[in-house]
Amino acid sequence: MAAGGGGNQDLRRSAAAAACQYFVGQNQVVEPYFGNSLVTFPCLNFSSSQQVRGMATEKQIFNQIQSTKNIKKITSSMKMVSAAKLKGDENRLKQAQAFNAWTSALSSEPVVIDEDMPTFEELPQKTLIVPFTSERGLCGGVNSFISRTTRDAVKKLQAQGKDCDIVVVGEKGRSQMRRTVGDLIKRSATDIVPPGNFALASGLASEILAAGGKDYDAIMIVYNTFVNAAVYKQAYKVVTPLKAETPEGDDVLGGYEFEPSEKTEGLEDLYEYLLASQLFHSFMDGACSEQSSRMTAMENASKNAGEMIDSLTLQYNRARQARITTELIEIISGASAIEG
């Protein structure tokens, strides 16, 4: 009986040790009792609750390789779609440039922003800033550059003691600028289907003027200007209201005859058409820049995905080779033990 009781007690101790190991794996502390005595297991650390992260298994690495391959297929498809859209946008931009050529006689030439940000000292006392951004992302720094230029313009105009407000075109620009200059955003135009058309530009011009755009001394349009498929730059152009006389005293449109009561109204209508034409050109220029930037971004994403696939494949092959080597060692060791 004594021997049997001792054997059962050892069996119970072994079962308790196995149970403790299970609960330790579940981050639970267990204190097993046998009769009136506490059984302790010094080899187990009950106080440690940290989970140790092991190396990725072959299956996990394989799944990651397949996911990366799927992402590469998507980015490659998006690159081809952007390349096809870019060709159409370039044709529309050429037509918009010819259509907008007449505005150079009534407004200043666009100012291209290089590495050195402009001072905006030529802007009048009260300016309405209209930044053009996109509705969707995954197009590089197209929207970030416009937002940065807008914020810089607001900062410098306020430092010069001038007033400015913002009308944002595009969802991405609104989401970026409302965190920094949200109090200056008066209106926003979103859900615009690119690349836009003249009817959309005319509606936007009418909305800007009806919302108080006539009260501003100038309207500054900030947009991305297309250079080629790999390069685009930021630019802005200033549209000022047409007055009967210039500050120098010259008669505006002096070569045309107007009725005294109709000249002011005619200049207001011409100013709205001028603004719509400039907005239309900015739409086309921005659409080309967006597609070229998206094409470049997707090309870089596909390249990075390919490099990641190569790295994961090498890691997968190493893990597979290590597993095979371990299995061979176990087989050889077992055969040696049987023979010995």
Side-chain angles (χ1 to χ4, degrees), residues 73-151:
K73 291 179 181 179
I74 295 173
T75 54
S76 299
S77 301
M78 293 181 66
K79 174 191 172 183
M80 292 186 292
V81 171
S82 297
K85 289 184 177 180
L86 178 60
K87 187 62 177 178
D89 289 340
E90 286 184 16
N91 296 332
R92 283 186 285 268
L93 177 59
K94 291 179 181 179
Q95 298 174 1
Q97 288 173 343
F99 178 81
N100 193 56
W102 68 275
T103 60
S104 60
L106 298 176
S107 59
S108 59
E109 291 293 329
V111 178
V112 178
I113 301 175
D114 295 325
E115 296 180 359
D116 298 333
M117 296 295 289
T119 59
F120 302 103
E121 294 180 351
E122 75 278 10
L123 296 179
Q125 180 63 31
K126 191 174 183 181
T127 305
L128 178 64
I129 304 174
V130 183
F132 273 79
T133 59
S134 66
E135 289 291 324
R136 298 182 299 169
L138 299 178
C139 53
V142 165
N143 302 308
S144 300
F145 291 145
I146 295 297
S147 300
R148 184 185 65 181
T149 302
T150 303
R151 291 193 298 266

Side-chain angles (χ1 to χ4, degrees), residues 27-44:
N27 294 328
Q28 299 182 19
V29 178
V30 178
E31 296 180 351
Y33 282 86
F34 290 95
N36 296 326
S37 61
L38 174 65
V39 179
T40 59
F41 301 95
C43 61
L44 301 180

Side-chain angles (χ1 to χ4, degrees), residues 298-314:
M298 293 301 101
E299 182 180 1
N300 293 334
S302 301
K303 180 180 177 181
N304 293 336
E307 294 176 355
M308 183 177 293
I309 291 172
D310 294 339
S311 176
L312 290 173
T313 302
L314 181 60

Side-chain angles (χ1 to χ4, degrees), residues 185-208:
I185 298 178
K186 301 303 179 182
R187 288 176 180 265
S188 60
T190 58
D191 298 331
I192 297 175
V193 179
N197 49 40
F198 187 76
L200 177 63
S202 299
L204 181 61
S206 300
E207 182 69 20
I208 291 175

Side-chain angles (χ1 to χ4, degrees), residues 253-324:
L253 300 179
Y256 300 88
E257 294 183 359
F258 292 90
E259 292 292 334
S261 59
E262 296 179 354
K263 186 171 184 178
T264 302
E265 182 180 356
L267 290 177
E268 291 179 356
D269 295 339
L270 183 60
Y271 174 61
E272 181 177 352
Y273 184 67
L274 171 66
L275 179 60
S277 181
Q278 294 281 29
L279 292 175
F280 173 64
H281 175 260
S282 301
F283 267 123
M284 298 298 103
D285 223 349
C288 272
S289 302
E290 177 185 351
Q291 295 302 334
S292 65
S293 180
R294 179 172 287 113
M295 185 178 65
T296 304
M298 293 301 101
E299 182 180 1
N300 293 334
S302 301
K303 180 180 177 181
N304 293 336
E307 294 176 355
M308 183 177 293
I309 291 172
D310 294 339
S311 176
L312 290 173
T313 302
L314 181 60
Q315 185 179 353
Y316 173 79
N317 292 335
R318 286 177 178 174
R320 181 172 174 270
Q321 186 64 38
R323 176 179 58 81
I324 294 174

